[in-house]
Amino acid sequence: MSWHITDDLMDAYRSGGLDPAQAMSVDAHLGGCPDCRAAVPYEEDWLRDSWQRLEAEVLSPRPSPMERLLGLCGVPQHVARLLTATPTMNGAWVAAVVAALTFAVLAARKSDTFLPLFLAVAPILPLAGIALAYGPRVDPVHESLAATPLSGARLLLIRATGTLAVAVVLAAVASPLLPAPAWLSAAWLLPSLAMTSCCLLLSSRLPVPVSALTTGGLWLLGVAAVGGATGDLLAPFGLAAQIGYGCAALLMSLRLYSKVTA
């Protein structure tokens, strides 16, 4: 170094009296000048321990409770961390799902005529979560993840699976509260699986939010059309329809699997 920090400048730096530009200039000089760096008092043991704690926090961050729970369930650590970082897992979407299911259950318990409302709404809840689970507009770490081997279809599939699992569990908890037989209370499950698979397939050609909106819109139109044509709002959830949903979910899941593993 051809110059060194003066005593007055060093005193101002140590007391925090420099403006940001001057402080950054002194920081840059200290990084390359061992003589000036030696003039800055510090406790060697404290500095070493501080760096060790910082490295431990950065390199091995403490897992969240949800991440630890997923690990206990056998989910690999990197996948568990990816799932807990999904934007729709931050609580707001989960609260919205709970609110929607609560409203539908209360409406159905007040009058049996509202039972189809629950059965129609429950399958589209995962679509809302998938629409908010992936993409540069909704994911604050999208650019970082895009450069990893998990980017693209595989990342979307992992996050969609997590979103679907949360929505299915919440809907399953609400189903026994419905004033209906057990088989009818669960009539939303196969449509939900079929629509989720359809949304993921469409996302290979369309943006994820557009795919979710298209799939959900077609579902609601189909339920309304079948119910209106037959005069029975529960007709879209009968045995024949369930067989069709199951076959569609299976075929689209196989197609989706082949695209992801190709």
Side-chain angles (χ1 to χ4, degrees), residues 128-175:
I130 292 172
L132 299 173
Y134 181 80
R137 296 181 180 272
V138 297
D139 188 356
V141 294
H142 177 78
E143 288 77 9
S144 299
L145 290 174
T148 69
L150 282 175
S151 63
R154 189 179 177 193
L155 172 61
L156 175 59
L157 182 59
I158 292 174
R159 286 186 161 180
T161 301
T163 300
L164 176 63
V166 172
V168 166
V169 169
L170 293 176
V173 171
S175 294

Short mmCIF file of all heavy atoms in Angstrom, two decimals, residues 128-175:
data_model
loop_
_atom_site.label_atom_id
_atom_site.label_comp_id
_atom_site.label_asym_id
_atom_site.label_seq_id
_atom_site.Cartn_x
_atom_site.Cartn_y
_atom_site.Cartn_z
N ALA A 128 -55.14 -23.18 -7.12
CA ALA A 128 -54.74 -21.84 -6.68
C ALA A 128 -53.34 -21.87 -6.08
O ALA A 128 -52.52 -20.97 -6.31
CB ALA A 128 -55.76 -21.30 -5.68
N GLY A 129 -53.07 -22.91 -5.29
CA GLY A 129 -51.74 -23.02 -4.71
C GLY A 129 -50.66 -23.27 -5.74
O GLY A 129 -49.56 -22.71 -5.65
N ILE A 130 -50.95 -24.10 -6.74
CA ILE A 130 -49.97 -24.38 -7.79
C ILE A 130 -49.68 -23.12 -8.60
O ILE A 130 -48.54 -22.86 -8.99
CB ILE A 130 -50.49 -25.51 -8.70
CG1 ILE A 130 -50.52 -26.82 -7.92
CG2 ILE A 130 -49.61 -25.65 -9.94
CD1 ILE A 130 -51.19 -27.96 -8.66
N ALA A 131 -50.71 -22.32 -8.84
CA ALA A 131 -50.52 -21.07 -9.59
C ALA A 131 -49.57 -20.12 -8.88
O ALA A 131 -48.90 -19.31 -9.53
CB ALA A 131 -51.87 -20.39 -9.83
N LEU A 132 -49.50 -20.24 -7.55
CA LEU A 132 -48.64 -19.35 -6.77
C LEU A 132 -47.37 -20.03 -6.28
O LEU A 132 -46.64 -19.48 -5.46
CB LEU A 132 -49.42 -18.83 -5.55
CG LEU A 132 -50.68 -18.02 -5.85
CD1 LEU A 132 -51.44 -17.73 -4.57
CD2 LEU A 132 -50.32 -16.73 -6.58
N ALA A 133 -47.08 -21.23 -6.78
CA ALA A 133 -45.94 -21.99 -6.27
C ALA A 133 -44.70 -21.88 -7.13
O ALA A 133 -43.62 -22.27 -6.69
CB ALA A 133 -46.33 -23.47 -6.14
N TYR A 134 -44.82 -21.36 -8.34
CA TYR A 134 -43.67 -21.40 -9.24
C TYR A 134 -43.77 -20.25 -10.23
O TYR A 134 -44.84 -19.94 -10.74
CB TYR A 134 -43.64 -22.72 -10.00
CG TYR A 134 -42.48 -22.88 -10.95
CD1 TYR A 134 -41.23 -23.24 -10.49
CD2 TYR A 134 -42.64 -22.65 -12.32
CE1 TYR A 134 -40.15 -23.38 -11.35
CE2 TYR A 134 -41.57 -22.79 -13.19
CZ TYR A 134 -40.33 -23.16 -12.71
OH TYR A 134 -39.28 -23.28 -13.57
N GLY A 135 -42.63 -19.61 -10.49
CA GLY A 135 -42.58 -18.56 -11.50
C GLY A 135 -41.88 -17.32 -10.99
O GLY A 135 -41.81 -17.07 -9.79
N PRO A 136 -41.32 -16.53 -11.90
CA PRO A 136 -40.56 -15.34 -11.49
C PRO A 136 -41.41 -14.27 -10.82
O PRO A 136 -40.89 -13.46 -10.06
CB PRO A 136 -39.98 -14.83 -12.82
CG PRO A 136 -40.88 -15.38 -13.88
CD PRO A 136 -41.35 -16.72 -13.35
N ARG A 137 -42.71 -14.27 -11.06
CA ARG A 137 -43.57 -13.23 -10.49
C ARG A 137 -43.97 -13.52 -9.05
O ARG A 137 -44.37 -12.61 -8.32
CB ARG A 137 -44.84 -13.05 -11.34
CG ARG A 137 -44.57 -12.54 -12.74
CD ARG A 137 -45.87 -12.38 -13.51
NE ARG A 137 -45.64 -11.89 -14.86
CZ ARG A 137 -45.56 -10.60 -15.19
NH1 ARG A 137 -45.70 -9.68 -14.25
NH2 ARG A 137 -45.34 -10.24 -16.43
N VAL A 138 -43.88 -14.77 -8.62
CA VAL A 138 -44.36 -15.13 -7.29
C VAL A 138 -43.28 -15.70 -6.39
O VAL A 138 -43.44 -15.70 -5.17
CB VAL A 138 -45.52 -16.14 -7.39
CG1 VAL A 138 -46.70 -15.53 -8.10
CG2 VAL A 138 -45.08 -17.42 -8.10
N ASP A 139 -42.19 -16.19 -6.95
CA ASP A 139 -41.16 -16.85 -6.16
C ASP A 139 -39.97 -15.93 -5.99
O ASP A 139 -39.29 -15.61 -6.97
CB ASP A 139 -40.73 -18.15 -6.85
CG ASP A 139 -39.82 -18.99 -5.98
OD1 ASP A 139 -39.47 -18.51 -4.88
OD2 ASP A 139 -39.47 -20.11 -6.38
N PRO A 140 -39.63 -15.48 -4.77
CA PRO A 140 -38.51 -14.55 -4.60
C PRO A 140 -37.16 -15.16 -4.90
O PRO A 140 -36.18 -14.44 -5.08
CB PRO A 140 -38.63 -14.16 -3.11
CG PRO A 140 -39.40 -15.26 -2.47
CD PRO A 140 -40.35 -15.76 -3.53
N VAL A 141 -37.05 -16.50 -4.92
CA VAL A 141 -35.77 -17.14 -5.22
C VAL A 141 -35.82 -17.88 -6.56
O VAL A 141 -35.06 -18.81 -6.79
CB VAL A 141 -35.37 -18.12 -4.09
CG1 VAL A 141 -35.11 -17.36 -2.80
CG2 VAL A 141 -36.45 -19.18 -3.87
N HIS A 142 -36.70 -17.44 -7.46
CA HIS A 142 -36.87 -18.13 -8.73
C HIS A 142 -35.58 -18.12 -9.54
O HIS A 142 -35.20 -19.13 -10.13
CB HIS A 142 -38.00 -17.48 -9.53
CG HIS A 142 -38.18 -18.09 -10.89
ND1 HIS A 142 -38.83 -19.28 -11.08
CD2 HIS A 142 -37.78 -17.68 -12.12
CE1 HIS A 142 -38.84 -19.58 -12.37
NE2 HIS A 142 -38.20 -18.63 -13.02
N GLU A 143 -34.89 -16.97 -9.58
CA GLU A 143 -33.68 -16.87 -10.38
C GLU A 143 -32.60 -17.82 -9.87
O GLU A 143 -31.88 -18.44 -10.66
CB GLU A 143 -33.15 -15.43 -10.38
CG GLU A 143 -33.98 -14.45 -11.19
CD GLU A 143 -35.25 -14.04 -10.47
OE1 GLU A 143 -35.39 -14.37 -9.27
OE2 GLU A 143 -36.11 -13.39 -11.10
N SER A 144 -32.50 -17.96 -8.55
CA SER A 144 -31.49 -18.86 -7.98
C SER A 144 -31.84 -20.31 -8.30
O SER A 144 -30.97 -21.10 -8.68
CB SER A 144 -31.40 -18.66 -6.46
OG SER A 144 -31.01 -17.34 -6.16
N LEU A 145 -33.12 -20.67 -8.15
CA LEU A 145 -33.53 -22.05 -8.41
C LEU A 145 -33.45 -22.40 -9.89
O LEU A 145 -33.24 -23.56 -10.24
CB LEU A 145 -34.95 -22.27 -7.89
CG LEU A 145 -35.12 -22.26 -6.37
CD1 LEU A 145 -36.59 -22.34 -6.01
CD2 LEU A 145 -34.35 -23.41 -5.74
N ALA A 146 -33.61 -21.40 -10.75
CA ALA A 146 -33.58 -21.67 -12.19
C ALA A 146 -32.22 -22.17 -12.65
O ALA A 146 -32.11 -22.80 -13.70
CB ALA A 146 -33.97 -20.41 -12.96
N ALA A 147 -31.18 -21.91 -11.85
CA ALA A 147 -29.84 -22.34 -12.23
C ALA A 147 -29.45 -23.67 -11.60
O ALA A 147 -28.30 -24.09 -11.71
CB ALA A 147 -28.82 -21.27 -11.81
N THR A 148 -30.41 -24.33 -10.95
CA THR A 148 -30.11 -25.60 -10.28
C THR A 148 -30.68 -26.76 -11.09
O THR A 148 -31.53 -26.59 -11.95
CB THR A 148 -30.73 -25.62 -8.88
OG1 THR A 148 -32.16 -25.69 -9.00
CG2 THR A 148 -30.35 -24.37 -8.11
N PRO A 149 -30.21 -28.00 -10.80
CA PRO A 149 -30.75 -29.17 -11.50
C PRO A 149 -32.23 -29.41 -11.24
O PRO A 149 -32.87 -30.17 -11.96
CB PRO A 149 -29.89 -30.33 -10.95
CG PRO A 149 -28.65 -29.69 -10.46
CD PRO A 149 -29.06 -28.35 -9.95
N LEU A 150 -32.80 -28.78 -10.17
CA LEU A 150 -34.21 -28.99 -9.83
C LEU A 150 -35.13 -28.01 -10.54
O LEU A 150 -36.33 -28.01 -10.29
CB LEU A 150 -34.40 -28.84 -8.31
CG LEU A 150 -33.98 -30.03 -7.46
CD1 LEU A 150 -34.10 -29.69 -5.99
CD2 LEU A 150 -34.80 -31.26 -7.78
N SER A 151 -34.59 -27.17 -11.41
CA SER A 151 -35.42 -26.16 -12.05
C SER A 151 -36.38 -26.79 -13.06
O SER A 151 -36.27 -27.95 -13.41
CB SER A 151 -34.54 -25.12 -12.75
OG SER A 151 -33.80 -25.74 -13.79
N GLY A 152 -37.32 -25.98 -13.52
CA GLY A 152 -38.24 -26.42 -14.57
C GLY A 152 -39.32 -27.35 -14.08
O GLY A 152 -39.87 -27.19 -12.99
N ALA A 153 -39.63 -28.35 -14.92
CA ALA A 153 -40.77 -29.22 -14.65
C ALA A 153 -40.62 -29.99 -13.34
O ALA A 153 -41.60 -30.18 -12.61
CB ALA A 153 -40.95 -30.21 -15.81
N ARG A 154 -39.41 -30.41 -13.02
CA ARG A 154 -39.23 -31.19 -11.79
C ARG A 154 -39.51 -30.34 -10.56
O ARG A 154 -40.14 -30.79 -9.60
CB ARG A 154 -37.80 -31.74 -11.72
CG ARG A 154 -37.61 -32.73 -10.59
CD ARG A 154 -36.20 -33.27 -10.57
NE ARG A 154 -35.98 -34.16 -9.45
CZ ARG A 154 -34.80 -34.59 -9.05
NH1 ARG A 154 -33.72 -34.21 -9.71
NH2 ARG A 154 -34.67 -35.40 -8.01
N LEU A 155 -39.04 -29.10 -10.57
CA LEU A 155 -39.30 -28.20 -9.45
C LEU A 155 -40.79 -27.95 -9.30
O LEU A 155 -41.34 -27.98 -8.19
CB LEU A 155 -38.55 -26.88 -9.65
CG LEU A 155 -38.86 -25.76 -8.66
CD1 LEU A 155 -38.50 -26.19 -7.25
CD2 LEU A 155 -38.10 -24.50 -9.03
N LEU A 156 -41.46 -27.67 -10.41
CA LEU A 156 -42.90 -27.43 -10.37
C LEU A 156 -43.63 -28.66 -9.84
O LEU A 156 -44.56 -28.55 -9.03
CB LEU A 156 -43.41 -27.07 -11.76
CG LEU A 156 -44.93 -26.90 -11.89
CD1 LEU A 156 -45.44 -25.81 -10.97
CD2 LEU A 156 -45.30 -26.59 -13.33
N LEU A 157 -43.20 -29.84 -10.27
CA LEU A 157 -43.86 -31.07 -9.83
C LEU A 157 -43.70 -31.27 -8.32
O LEU A 157 -44.66 -31.64 -7.63
CB LEU A 157 -43.28 -32.26 -10.58
CG LEU A 157 -43.91 -33.63 -10.27
CD1 LEU A 157 -45.40 -33.61 -10.57
CD2 LEU A 157 -43.22 -34.73 -11.05
N ILE A 158 -42.50 -31.02 -7.81
CA ILE A 158 -42.27 -31.19 -6.36
C ILE A 158 -43.13 -30.22 -5.57
O ILE A 158 -43.79 -30.60 -4.59
CB ILE A 158 -40.78 -30.98 -6.04
CG1 ILE A 158 -39.95 -32.13 -6.62
CG2 ILE A 158 -40.55 -30.88 -4.54
CD1 ILE A 158 -38.45 -31.94 -6.48
N ARG A 159 -43.14 -28.97 -5.98
CA ARG A 159 -43.92 -27.98 -5.24
C ARG A 159 -45.42 -28.23 -5.40
O ARG A 159 -46.19 -28.04 -4.46
CB ARG A 159 -43.56 -26.57 -5.72
CG ARG A 159 -42.20 -26.13 -5.21
CD ARG A 159 -41.91 -24.69 -5.56
NE ARG A 159 -40.86 -24.16 -4.71
CZ ARG A 159 -40.39 -22.92 -4.79
NH1 ARG A 159 -40.88 -22.09 -5.71
NH2 ARG A 159 -39.44 -22.49 -3.98
N ALA A 160 -45.84 -28.66 -6.58
CA ALA A 160 -47.26 -28.95 -6.79
C ALA A 160 -47.70 -30.12 -5.92
O ALA A 160 -48.81 -30.13 -5.37
CB ALA A 160 -47.53 -29.26 -8.26
N THR A 161 -46.82 -31.11 -5.76
CA THR A 161 -47.14 -32.26 -4.91
C THR A 161 -47.33 -31.82 -3.46
O THR A 161 -48.26 -32.26 -2.77
CB THR A 161 -46.03 -33.32 -5.00
OG1 THR A 161 -45.89 -33.74 -6.36
CG2 THR A 161 -46.36 -34.51 -4.14
N GLY A 162 -46.43 -30.94 -3.00
CA GLY A 162 -46.58 -30.43 -1.65
C GLY A 162 -47.85 -29.63 -1.46
O GLY A 162 -48.55 -29.77 -0.45
N THR A 163 -48.15 -28.78 -2.44
CA THR A 163 -49.37 -27.98 -2.38
C THR A 163 -50.61 -28.86 -2.39
O THR A 163 -51.56 -28.65 -1.62
CB THR A 163 -49.41 -27.00 -3.56
OG1 THR A 163 -48.28 -26.14 -3.51
CG2 THR A 163 -50.68 -26.16 -3.53
N LEU A 164 -50.61 -29.86 -3.27
CA LEU A 164 -51.74 -30.79 -3.34
C LEU A 164 -51.92 -31.54 -2.03
O LEU A 164 -53.05 -31.72 -1.56
CB LEU A 164 -51.52 -31.78 -4.49
CG LEU A 164 -52.58 -32.88 -4.66
CD1 LEU A 164 -53.94 -32.27 -4.99
CD2 LEU A 164 -52.15 -33.86 -5.74
N ALA A 165 -50.81 -31.97 -1.44
CA ALA A 165 -50.90 -32.72 -0.18
C ALA A 165 -51.54 -31.88 0.92
O ALA A 165 -52.40 -32.37 1.67
CB ALA A 165 -49.51 -33.19 0.24
N VAL A 166 -51.13 -30.62 1.02
CA VAL A 166 -51.70 -29.75 2.06
C VAL A 166 -53.20 -29.54 1.83
O VAL A 166 -54.02 -29.65 2.75
CB VAL A 166 -50.97 -28.39 2.08
CG1 VAL A 166 -51.69 -27.41 3.00
CG2 VAL A 166 -49.54 -28.58 2.53
N ALA A 167 -53.58 -29.26 0.58
CA ALA A 167 -55.00 -29.02 0.28
C ALA A 167 -55.83 -30.28 0.52
O ALA A 167 -56.96 -30.19 1.04
CB ALA A 167 -55.15 -28.55 -1.17
N VAL A 168 -55.30 -31.43 0.14
CA VAL A 168 -56.04 -32.69 0.32
C VAL A 168 -56.23 -32.99 1.81
O VAL A 168 -57.32 -33.39 2.24
CB VAL A 168 -55.31 -33.84 -0.38
CG1 VAL A 168 -55.86 -35.19 0.08
CG2 VAL A 168 -55.46 -33.72 -1.90
N VAL A 169 -55.20 -32.78 2.60
CA VAL A 169 -55.31 -33.03 4.05
C VAL A 169 -56.36 -32.11 4.67
O VAL A 169 -57.21 -32.55 5.47
CB VAL A 169 -53.94 -32.85 4.72
CG1 VAL A 169 -54.09 -32.84 6.24
CG2 VAL A 169 -53.00 -33.97 4.32
N LEU A 170 -56.33 -30.83 4.33
CA LEU A 170 -57.29 -29.89 4.89
C LEU A 170 -58.72 -30.23 4.46
O LEU A 170 -59.66 -30.18 5.28
CB LEU A 170 -56.95 -28.46 4.46
CG LEU A 170 -55.63 -27.90 5.03
CD1 LEU A 170 -55.35 -26.52 4.45
CD2 LEU A 170 -55.69 -27.84 6.55
N ALA A 171 -58.90 -30.58 3.19
CA ALA A 171 -60.23 -30.95 2.71
C ALA A 171 -60.70 -32.26 3.36
O ALA A 171 -61.88 -32.43 3.65
CB ALA A 171 -60.23 -31.07 1.19
N ALA A 172 -59.76 -33.19 3.58
CA ALA A 172 -60.11 -34.46 4.21
C ALA A 172 -60.56 -34.24 5.66
O ALA A 172 -61.46 -34.94 6.16
CB ALA A 172 -58.93 -35.41 4.16
N VAL A 173 -59.94 -33.29 6.33
CA VAL A 173 -60.36 -32.97 7.71
C VAL A 173 -61.75 -32.37 7.72
O VAL A 173 -62.56 -32.64 8.63
CB VAL A 173 -59.34 -32.00 8.35
CG1 VAL A 173 -59.86 -31.47 9.67
CG2 VAL A 173 -58.00 -32.70 8.55
N ALA A 174 -62.07 -31.57 6.70
CA ALA A 174 -63.39 -30.92 6.65
C ALA A 174 -64.49 -31.86 6.18
O ALA A 174 -65.66 -31.67 6.53
CB ALA A 174 -63.32 -29.70 5.73
N SER A 175 -64.16 -32.87 5.40
CA SER A 175 -65.18 -33.74 4.80
C SER A 175 -66.10 -34.42 5.80
O SER A 175 -67.32 -34.48 5.59
CB SER A 175 -64.50 -34.80 3.92
OG SER A 175 -63.88 -34.19 2.80
#
